[in-house]
Amino acid sequence: MSVQRVAAASARDDGYRKTLSAICNMVRRDPSGTVTGPVSPPEIPGNLIAGLQPAVYERIHAPALGIFNRITPPYRMPYYWSLKPAEQAEFDRNIAALATWTDGAIQRFRSEVKGSRVVEIPNANHYVYVVEEAQVVREVRNFLLAK
């Protein structure tokens, strides 16, 4: 499979297009350019999750802008419709749990970072800064200009 095919499949499944350079940084290729696998070893995602720690918000004393992808239970990734019914049910359970966690994370930021500004962009994507770039840029500019 080529880098271009990986990029097309990723765009179809994730709902946005990664740059070819980003795809190239994520995959190994043989001398002919065929994708042979991921760059990261398979244990990396588990290690990242195991190392997660809550942010220590009381250390923040400057004005802060929090831009959040606010997930709600009806949220569906573009690949959802290609899942089997049992996989859709699992996705639905996971999204419901993630929505609850996200609500808590947003409320924690809002309450623990004094004087913060919170922007919630509903059901955008994990890469909200890419998918909703124009809104994110507007919000950052407004924050920096104190509007």
Side-chain angles (χ1 to χ4, degrees):
M1 181 180 299
S2 68
V3 170
Q4 290 81 359
R5 286 186 145 193
V6 171
S10 174
R12 183 183 60 247
D13 289 347
D14 296 337
Y16 72 98
R17 185 169 292 279
K18 295 177 181 81
T19 63
L20 290 180
S21 60
I23 299 289
C24 286
N25 287 332
M26 296 166 45
V27 298
R28 292 187 192 286
R29 292 169 284 145
D30 66 17
S32 72
T34 300
V35 173
T36 59
V39 170
S40 299
E43 66 273 8
I44 295 298
N47 290 348
L48 286 171
I49 290 169
L52 290 176
Q53 299 292 320
V56 185
Y57 289 138
E58 67 257 9
R59 293 181 183 170
I60 300 174
H61 300 288
L65 171 64
I67 299 176
F68 294 91
N69 171 25
R70 187 172 188 284
I71 296 173
T72 64
Y75 177 70
R76 301 290 178 263
M77 290 290 292
Y79 65 81
Y80 179 85
W81 310 109
S82 67
L83 298 175
K84 296 175 184 159
E87 294 168 327
Q88 287 182 346
E90 181 181 3
F91 182 98
D92 295 345
R93 284 189 302 277
N94 290 338
I95 282 298
L98 186 57
T100 300
W101 181 88
T102 302
D103 282 344
I106 293 169
Q107 291 312 316
R108 185 171 164 256
F109 183 88
R110 183 177 273 126
S111 66
E112 293 182 21
V113 180
K114 303 303 177 208
S116 64
R117 175 158 158 43
V118 173
V119 175
E120 298 179 22
I121 303 175
N123 298 322
N125 185 295
H126 177 73
Y127 295 96
V128 66
Y129 300 93
V130 174
V131 176
E132 299 295 336
E133 180 182 9
Q135 182 178 358
V136 168
V137 168
R138 272 192 313 275
E139 296 293 350
V140 170
R141 283 183 178 155
N142 288 340
F143 177 76
L144 292 173
L145 296 172
K147 289 185 179 179

PDB file of all heavy atoms in Angstrom, residues 25-53:
ATOM      1  N   ASN A  25       5.612  10.396   8.361  1.00  0.00           N
ATOM      2  CA  ASN A  25       6.227  10.341   9.684  1.00  0.00           C
ATOM      3  C   ASN A  25       5.640   9.237  10.555  1.00  0.00           C
ATOM      4  O   ASN A  25       6.220   8.890  11.576  1.00  0.00           O
ATOM      5  CB  ASN A  25       6.080  11.687  10.394  1.00  0.00           C
ATOM      6  CG  ASN A  25       6.984  12.733   9.816  1.00  0.00           C
ATOM      7  OD1 ASN A  25       8.046  12.433   9.287  1.00  0.00           O
ATOM      8  ND2 ASN A  25       6.558  13.981   9.879  1.00  0.00           N
ATOM      9  N   MET A  26       4.484   8.706  10.153  1.00  0.00           N
ATOM     10  CA  MET A  26       3.795   7.691  10.963  1.00  0.00           C
ATOM     11  C   MET A  26       4.057   6.260  10.494  1.00  0.00           C
ATOM     12  O   MET A  26       3.718   5.317  11.203  1.00  0.00           O
ATOM     13  CB  MET A  26       2.281   7.949  10.924  1.00  0.00           C
ATOM     14  CG  MET A  26       1.888   9.268  11.548  1.00  0.00           C
ATOM     15  SD  MET A  26       0.188   9.784  11.178  1.00  0.00           S
ATOM     16  CE  MET A  26      -0.760   8.333  11.416  1.00  0.00           C
ATOM     17  N   VAL A  27       4.605   6.093   9.279  1.00  0.00           N
ATOM     18  CA  VAL A  27       4.733   4.749   8.715  1.00  0.00           C
ATOM     19  C   VAL A  27       6.163   4.462   8.262  1.00  0.00           C
ATOM     20  O   VAL A  27       6.929   5.367   7.959  1.00  0.00           O
ATOM     21  CB  VAL A  27       3.766   4.550   7.518  1.00  0.00           C
ATOM     22  CG1 VAL A  27       2.323   4.683   7.954  1.00  0.00           C
ATOM     23  CG2 VAL A  27       4.078   5.497   6.374  1.00  0.00           C
ATOM     24  N   ARG A  28       6.466   3.168   8.228  1.00  0.00           N
ATOM     25  CA  ARG A  28       7.730   2.710   7.643  1.00  0.00           C
ATOM     26  C   ARG A  28       7.450   2.324   6.192  1.00  0.00           C
ATOM     27  O   ARG A  28       6.385   1.828   5.881  1.00  0.00           O
ATOM     28  CB  ARG A  28       8.250   1.484   8.382  1.00  0.00           C
ATOM     29  CG  ARG A  28       8.681   1.773   9.795  1.00  0.00           C
ATOM     30  CD  ARG A  28       9.341   0.509  10.390  1.00  0.00           C
ATOM     31  NE  ARG A  28       9.507   0.629  11.805  1.00  0.00           N
ATOM     32  CZ  ARG A  28      10.417   1.382  12.402  1.00  0.00           C
ATOM     33  NH1 ARG A  28      11.256   2.072  11.691  1.00  0.00           N
ATOM     34  NH2 ARG A  28      10.498   1.435  13.719  1.00  0.00           N
ATOM     35  N   ARG A  29       8.449   2.560   5.346  1.00  0.00           N
ATOM     36  CA  ARG A  29       8.317   2.203   3.939  1.00  0.00           C
ATOM     37  C   ARG A  29       9.534   1.427   3.485  1.00  0.00           C
ATOM     38  O   ARG A  29      10.637   1.651   3.991  1.00  0.00           O
ATOM     39  CB  ARG A  29       8.164   3.470   3.097  1.00  0.00           C
ATOM     40  CG  ARG A  29       6.848   4.181   3.352  1.00  0.00           C
ATOM     41  CD  ARG A  29       6.805   5.550   2.728  1.00  0.00           C
ATOM     42  NE  ARG A  29       7.624   6.440   3.557  1.00  0.00           N
ATOM     43  CZ  ARG A  29       8.361   7.435   3.108  1.00  0.00           C
ATOM     44  NH1 ARG A  29       8.409   7.709   1.838  1.00  0.00           N
ATOM     45  NH2 ARG A  29       9.057   8.185   3.933  1.00  0.00           N
ATOM     46  N   ASP A  30       9.331   0.539   2.522  1.00  0.00           N
ATOM     47  CA  ASP A  30      10.464  -0.174   1.942  1.00  0.00           C
ATOM     48  C   ASP A  30      11.056   0.693   0.823  1.00  0.00           C
ATOM     49  O   ASP A  30      10.528   1.772   0.522  1.00  0.00           O
ATOM     50  CB  ASP A  30      10.050  -1.567   1.468  1.00  0.00           C
ATOM     51  CG  ASP A  30       9.075  -1.569   0.311  1.00  0.00           C
ATOM     52  OD1 ASP A  30       8.916  -0.528  -0.371  1.00  0.00           O
ATOM     53  OD2 ASP A  30       8.460  -2.623   0.069  1.00  0.00           O
ATOM     54  N   PRO A  31      12.167   0.256   0.213  1.00  0.00           N
ATOM     55  CA  PRO A  31      12.807   1.087  -0.815  1.00  0.00           C
ATOM     56  C   PRO A  31      11.897   1.457  -1.993  1.00  0.00           C
ATOM     57  O   PRO A  31      12.094   2.489  -2.630  1.00  0.00           O
ATOM     58  CB  PRO A  31      13.988   0.235  -1.282  1.00  0.00           C
ATOM     59  CG  PRO A  31      14.321  -0.598  -0.086  1.00  0.00           C
ATOM     60  CD  PRO A  31      12.983  -0.912   0.553  1.00  0.00           C
ATOM     61  N   SER A  32      10.875   0.651  -2.268  1.00  0.00           N
ATOM     62  CA  SER A  32       9.968   0.986  -3.373  1.00  0.00           C
ATOM     63  C   SER A  32       8.894   1.989  -2.968  1.00  0.00           C
ATOM     64  O   SER A  32       8.114   2.441  -3.799  1.00  0.00           O
ATOM     65  CB  SER A  32       9.295  -0.290  -3.896  1.00  0.00           C
ATOM     66  OG  SER A  32       8.335  -0.751  -2.964  1.00  0.00           O
ATOM     67  N   GLY A  33       8.826   2.344  -1.667  1.00  0.00           N
ATOM     68  CA  GLY A  33       7.836   3.294  -1.180  1.00  0.00           C
ATOM     69  C   GLY A  33       6.590   2.647  -0.622  1.00  0.00           C
ATOM     70  O   GLY A  33       5.688   3.327  -0.149  1.00  0.00           O
ATOM     71  N   THR A  34       6.527   1.324  -0.645  1.00  0.00           N
ATOM     72  CA  THR A  34       5.370   0.608  -0.107  1.00  0.00           C
ATOM     73  C   THR A  34       5.376   0.697   1.416  1.00  0.00           C
ATOM     74  O   THR A  34       6.412   0.480   2.054  1.00  0.00           O
ATOM     75  CB  THR A  34       5.394  -0.868  -0.542  1.00  0.00           C
ATOM     76  OG1 THR A  34       5.363  -0.912  -1.970  1.00  0.00           O
ATOM     77  CG2 THR A  34       4.217  -1.638   0.024  1.00  0.00           C
ATOM     78  N   VAL A  35       4.225   1.004   1.984  1.00  0.00           N
ATOM     79  CA  VAL A  35       4.090   1.088   3.443  1.00  0.00           C
ATOM     80  C   VAL A  35       4.193  -0.321   4.013  1.00  0.00           C
ATOM     81  O   VAL A  35       3.483  -1.230   3.589  1.00  0.00           O
ATOM     82  CB  VAL A  35       2.762   1.752   3.835  1.00  0.00           C
ATOM     83  CG1 VAL A  35       2.546   1.697   5.335  1.00  0.00           C
ATOM     84  CG2 VAL A  35       2.739   3.197   3.343  1.00  0.00           C
ATOM     85  N   THR A  36       5.084  -0.479   4.991  1.00  0.00           N
ATOM     86  CA  THR A  36       5.302  -1.800   5.593  1.00  0.00           C
ATOM     87  C   THR A  36       4.805  -1.894   7.030  1.00  0.00           C
ATOM     88  O   THR A  36       4.768  -2.979   7.592  1.00  0.00           O
ATOM     89  CB  THR A  36       6.798  -2.176   5.549  1.00  0.00           C
ATOM     90  OG1 THR A  36       7.550  -1.189   6.268  1.00  0.00           O
ATOM     91  CG2 THR A  36       7.300  -2.253   4.112  1.00  0.00           C
ATOM     92  N   GLY A  37       4.426  -0.783   7.608  1.00  0.00           N
ATOM     93  CA  GLY A  37       3.919  -0.828   8.977  1.00  0.00           C
ATOM     94  C   GLY A  37       4.107   0.506   9.670  1.00  0.00           C
ATOM     95  O   GLY A  37       4.659   1.456   9.102  1.00  0.00           O
ATOM     96  N   PRO A  38       3.650   0.577  10.931  1.00  0.00           N
ATOM     97  CA  PRO A  38       3.786   1.834  11.683  1.00  0.00           C
ATOM     98  C   PRO A  38       5.208   2.055  12.179  1.00  0.00           C
ATOM     99  O   PRO A  38       5.976   1.107  12.341  1.00  0.00           O
ATOM    100  CB  PRO A  38       2.827   1.631  12.861  1.00  0.00           C
ATOM    101  CG  PRO A  38       2.780   0.152  13.047  1.00  0.00           C
ATOM    102  CD  PRO A  38       2.947  -0.454  11.684  1.00  0.00           C
ATOM    103  N   VAL A  39       5.538   3.296  12.427  1.00  0.00           N
ATOM    104  CA  VAL A  39       6.836   3.651  13.000  1.00  0.00           C
ATOM    105  C   VAL A  39       6.858   3.285  14.487  1.00  0.00           C
ATOM    106  O   VAL A  39       7.830   2.726  14.982  1.00  0.00           O
ATOM    107  CB  VAL A  39       7.126   5.158  12.807  1.00  0.00           C
ATOM    108  CG1 VAL A  39       8.342   5.590  13.599  1.00  0.00           C
ATOM    109  CG2 VAL A  39       7.311   5.473  11.330  1.00  0.00           C
ATOM    110  N   SER A  40       5.776   3.574  15.182  1.00  0.00           N
ATOM    111  CA  SER A  40       5.717   3.350  16.625  1.00  0.00           C
ATOM    112  C   SER A  40       5.500   1.874  16.938  1.00  0.00           C
ATOM    113  O   SER A  40       4.652   1.222  16.326  1.00  0.00           O
ATOM    114  CB  SER A  40       4.585   4.142  17.258  1.00  0.00           C
ATOM    115  OG  SER A  40       4.789   5.516  17.061  1.00  0.00           O
ATOM    116  N   PRO A  41       6.228   1.338  17.919  1.00  0.00           N
ATOM    117  CA  PRO A  41       5.992  -0.042  18.346  1.00  0.00           C
ATOM    118  C   PRO A  41       4.577  -0.185  18.916  1.00  0.00           C
ATOM    119  O   PRO A  41       3.997   0.786  19.417  1.00  0.00           O
ATOM    120  CB  PRO A  41       7.037  -0.263  19.446  1.00  0.00           C
ATOM    121  CG  PRO A  41       8.049   0.812  19.257  1.00  0.00           C
ATOM    122  CD  PRO A  41       7.331   1.965  18.625  1.00  0.00           C
ATOM    123  N   PRO A  42       4.000  -1.377  18.861  1.00  0.00           N
ATOM    124  CA  PRO A  42       2.601  -1.568  19.268  1.00  0.00           C
ATOM    125  C   PRO A  42       2.317  -1.250  20.738  1.00  0.00           C
ATOM    126  O   PRO A  42       1.179  -0.962  21.091  1.00  0.00           O
ATOM    127  CB  PRO A  42       2.321  -3.039  18.954  1.00  0.00           C
ATOM    128  CG  PRO A  42       3.638  -3.679  18.750  1.00  0.00           C
ATOM    129  CD  PRO A  42       4.607  -2.602  18.374  1.00  0.00           C
ATOM    130  N   GLU A  43       3.329  -1.275  21.587  1.00  0.00           N
ATOM    131  CA  GLU A  43       3.076  -1.009  23.011  1.00  0.00           C
ATOM    132  C   GLU A  43       2.962   0.484  23.348  1.00  0.00           C
ATOM    133  O   GLU A  43       2.548   0.849  24.448  1.00  0.00           O
ATOM    134  CB  GLU A  43       4.165  -1.652  23.885  1.00  0.00           C
ATOM    135  CG  GLU A  43       5.552  -1.076  23.721  1.00  0.00           C
ATOM    136  CD  GLU A  43       6.373  -1.701  22.591  1.00  0.00           C
ATOM    137  OE1 GLU A  43       5.844  -2.503  21.807  1.00  0.00           O
ATOM    138  OE2 GLU A  43       7.564  -1.376  22.499  1.00  0.00           O
ATOM    139  N   ILE A  44       3.298   1.348  22.412  1.00  0.00           N
ATOM    140  CA  ILE A  44       3.308   2.789  22.686  1.00  0.00           C
ATOM    141  C   ILE A  44       1.939   3.327  23.107  1.00  0.00           C
ATOM    142  O   ILE A  44       1.849   4.035  24.112  1.00  0.00           O
ATOM    143  CB  ILE A  44       3.880   3.576  21.489  1.00  0.00           C
ATOM    144  CG1 ILE A  44       5.350   3.230  21.275  1.00  0.00           C
ATOM    145  CG2 ILE A  44       3.686   5.072  21.658  1.00  0.00           C
ATOM    146  CD1 ILE A  44       6.271   3.569  22.432  1.00  0.00           C
ATOM    147  N   PRO A  45       0.834   3.046  22.394  1.00  0.00           N
ATOM    148  CA  PRO A  45      -0.459   3.598  22.846  1.00  0.00           C
ATOM    149  C   PRO A  45      -0.798   3.205  24.283  1.00  0.00           C
ATOM    150  O   PRO A  45      -1.255   4.041  25.059  1.00  0.00           O
ATOM    151  CB  PRO A  45      -1.473   3.018  21.848  1.00  0.00           C
ATOM    152  CG  PRO A  45      -0.665   2.758  20.623  1.00  0.00           C
ATOM    153  CD  PRO A  45       0.691   2.333  21.121  1.00  0.00           C
ATOM    154  N   GLY A  46      -0.561   1.957  24.649  1.00  0.00           N
ATOM    155  CA  GLY A  46      -0.827   1.528  26.025  1.00  0.00           C
ATOM    156  C   GLY A  46       0.057   2.248  27.027  1.00  0.00           C
ATOM    157  O   GLY A  46      -0.390   2.621  28.121  1.00  0.00           O
ATOM    158  N   ASN A  47       1.315   2.445  26.670  1.00  0.00           N
ATOM    159  CA  ASN A  47       2.233   3.164  27.559  1.00  0.00           C
ATOM    160  C   ASN A  47       1.795   4.615  27.741  1.00  0.00           C
ATOM    161  O   ASN A  47       1.904   5.172  28.839  1.00  0.00           O
ATOM    162  CB  ASN A  47       3.660   3.122  27.006  1.00  0.00           C
ATOM    163  CG  ASN A  47       4.283   1.750  27.076  1.00  0.00           C
ATOM    164  OD1 ASN A  47       3.760   0.839  27.738  1.00  0.00           O
ATOM    165  ND2 ASN A  47       5.379   1.554  26.376  1.00  0.00           N
ATOM    166  N   LEU A  48       1.320   5.239  26.665  1.00  0.00           N
ATOM    167  CA  LEU A  48       0.838   6.620  26.778  1.00  0.00           C
ATOM    168  C   LEU A  48      -0.351   6.700  27.730  1.00  0.00           C
ATOM    169  O   LEU A  48      -0.398   7.567  28.609  1.00  0.00           O
ATOM    170  CB  LEU A  48       0.427   7.152  25.398  1.00  0.00           C
ATOM    171  CG  LEU A  48       1.565   7.494  24.455  1.00  0.00           C
ATOM    172  CD1 LEU A  48       1.029   7.788  23.063  1.00  0.00           C
ATOM    173  CD2 LEU A  48       2.370   8.668  24.973  1.00  0.00           C
ATOM    174  N   ILE A  49      -1.291   5.798  27.553  1.00  0.00           N
ATOM    175  CA  ILE A  49      -2.479   5.803  28.414  1.00  0.00           C
ATOM    176  C   ILE A  49      -2.088   5.523  29.867  1.00  0.00           C
ATOM    177  O   ILE A  49      -2.576   6.175  30.786  1.00  0.00           O
ATOM    178  CB  ILE A  49      -3.523   4.795  27.889  1.00  0.00           C
ATOM    179  CG1 ILE A  49      -4.093   5.333  26.575  1.00  0.00           C
ATOM    180  CG2 ILE A  49      -4.625   4.556  28.906  1.00  0.00           C
ATOM    181  CD1 ILE A  49      -4.934   4.357  25.805  1.00  0.00           C
ATOM    182  N   ALA A  50      -1.188   4.578  30.069  1.00  0.00           N
ATOM    183  CA  ALA A  50      -0.757   4.243  31.429  1.00  0.00           C
ATOM    184  C   ALA A  50      -0.060   5.420  32.110  1.00  0.00           C
ATOM    185  O   ALA A  50      -0.109   5.551  33.327  1.00  0.00           O
ATOM    186  CB  ALA A  50       0.172   3.029  31.402  1.00  0.00           C
ATOM    187  N   GLY A  51       0.570   6.290  31.329  1.00  0.00           N
ATOM    188  CA  GLY A  51       1.307   7.413  31.905  1.00  0.00           C
ATOM    189  C   GLY A  51       0.510   8.694  32.062  1.00  0.00           C
ATOM    190  O   GLY A  51       1.044   9.702  32.520  1.00  0.00           O
ATOM    191  N   LEU A  52      -0.758   8.654  31.703  1.00  0.00           N
ATOM    192  CA  LEU A  52      -1.572   9.868  31.825  1.00  0.00           C
ATOM    193  C   LEU A  52      -1.705  10.296  33.281  1.00  0.00           C
ATOM    194  O   LEU A  52      -1.947   9.479  34.156  1.00  0.00           O
ATOM    195  CB  LEU A  52      -2.963   9.645  31.235  1.00  0.00           C
ATOM    196  CG  LEU A  52      -3.050   9.502  29.726  1.00  0.00           C
ATOM    197  CD1 LEU A  52      -4.474   9.177  29.309  1.00  0.00           C
ATOM    198  CD2 LEU A  52      -2.569  10.761  29.025  1.00  0.00           C
ATOM    199  N   GLN A  53      -1.564  11.576  33.502  1.00  0.00           N
ATOM    200  CA  GLN A  53      -1.724  12.165  34.831  1.00  0.00           C
ATOM    201  C   GLN A  53      -2.625  13.383  34.706  1.00  0.00           C
ATOM    202  O   GLN A  53      -2.553  14.101  33.716  1.00  0.00           O
ATOM    203  CB  GLN A  53      -0.368  12.603  35.401  1.00  0.00           C
ATOM    204  CG  GLN A  53       0.623  11.483  35.584  1.00  0.00           C
ATOM    205  CD  GLN A  53       0.201  10.525  36.683  1.00  0.00           C
ATOM    206  OE1 GLN A  53      -0.292  10.952  37.712  1.00  0.00           O
ATOM    207  NE2 GLN A  53       0.374   9.240  36.449  1.00  0.00           N
TER     208      GLN A  53
END
